[in-house]
Amino acid sequence: MTAPRERATQLRAAVLVVCVLAAVGALLGLVWQAWSPPGPFGLIYGSGVQPDETEAWAAADGRFAVIVAVVGLLAGVGAWLLRSVRGPYLVLALAGGGIAGAALTEWVGHLVRGAAHTFACYPASGRADCTEHLPLSLHMTGLLYVQPALAILVYGLLVAFAARDDLGRPDPVRAAVSVPAGGEPDDRWRDRDGAGVPEQGQLPPQ
C-alpha cells in the first residue's frame, strides 16, 4: 500500500470514528435525561431564575460524568482494536468525536427534557412565574472534555506499551523487503550475494 493510499484509509477511518462517537453521544442524551432526576422547582423573575435548594443539578452532572467516562474508556480501547489504521489520525478523531459526542449528549438531554409548565405564583418577594422543574442542563461544562481526555489517555497508554514500533499495522512494502532469519532480501534480479547462508546449490560440481 502506497503512502497516499494509507493516509486516505486512515482519514476515512478517522471520519468514521467521529461520526460513530457523535451518533452514540446523541443516543446517550436520551439515557442521560431518563436517568437524571427532575430539575429543581424554580422562580422565574425578569432579572433571572431562582432555583429551589436541591441536589438535582449535582446528581444530573454526576450521571453525565459517568456516561461520558464510560464512553471515553470504550472509545480508547475500540480505537486501538482498529489495528490497520492506528496512528495520529485516530487520536484526532478521538478528540473531535469525543467533544462532539459529549456535546450532543448534553444538547439532546436538554432538548428532550425541556422546561415544565409555568404558572403564576406569589412568593414573599412578590408575583413571579414558577415552574415545576427547571430544564435539564449541564452546569459543570468541564465535563464535556472528560470523554475525549479519557479516550486519548487509554489509547496513549496502549501505544506506550505496544511491543512493536509500527503498532502492529500491516505494511506490505516492509514485508516485501524484510530480511528473513539467516538470509537477506531477494530482489528477484540477482543472487543473494550478501552475508547469509551460503548458496551451495548454485556452485558447479568439482
Side-chain angles (χ1 to χ4, degrees), residues 34-173:
W35 190 20
S36 298
F41 172 85
L43 301 175
I44 304 174
Y45 296 100
S47 58
V49 178
Q50 178 184 346
D52 188 19
E53 294 294 334
T54 180
E55 299 295 330
W57 278 348
D61 282 8
R63 287 165 170 76
F64 182 90
V66 171
I67 291 173
V68 295
V70 171
V71 175
L73 293 173
L74 294 178
V77 175
W80 175 253
L81 295 178
L82 300 176
R83 177 177 177 178
S84 61
V85 291
R86 292 172 182 170
Y89 294 112
L90 270 186
V91 177
L92 295 177
L94 290 174
I99 293 176
L104 283 171
T105 299
E106 194 273 337
W107 181 73
V108 171
H110 173 78
L111 186 66
V112 173
R113 176 70 64 87
H117 172 68
T118 58
F119 55 92
C121 56
Y122 299 88
S125 56
R127 185 184 184 281
D129 289 333
C130 293
T131 180
E132 297 172 356
H133 67 80
L134 294 173
L136 177 65
S137 59
L138 184 67
H139 295 83
M140 293 185 290
T141 55
L143 293 177
L144 292 173
Y145 302 99
V146 169
Q147 179 175 328
L150 281 177
I152 294 174
L153 176 62
V154 171
Y155 185 81
L157 288 174
L158 292 172
V159 169
F161 288 97
R164 295 171 53 177
D165 293 338
D166 61 0
L167 305 182
R169 291 182 304 177
D171 189 346
V173 176

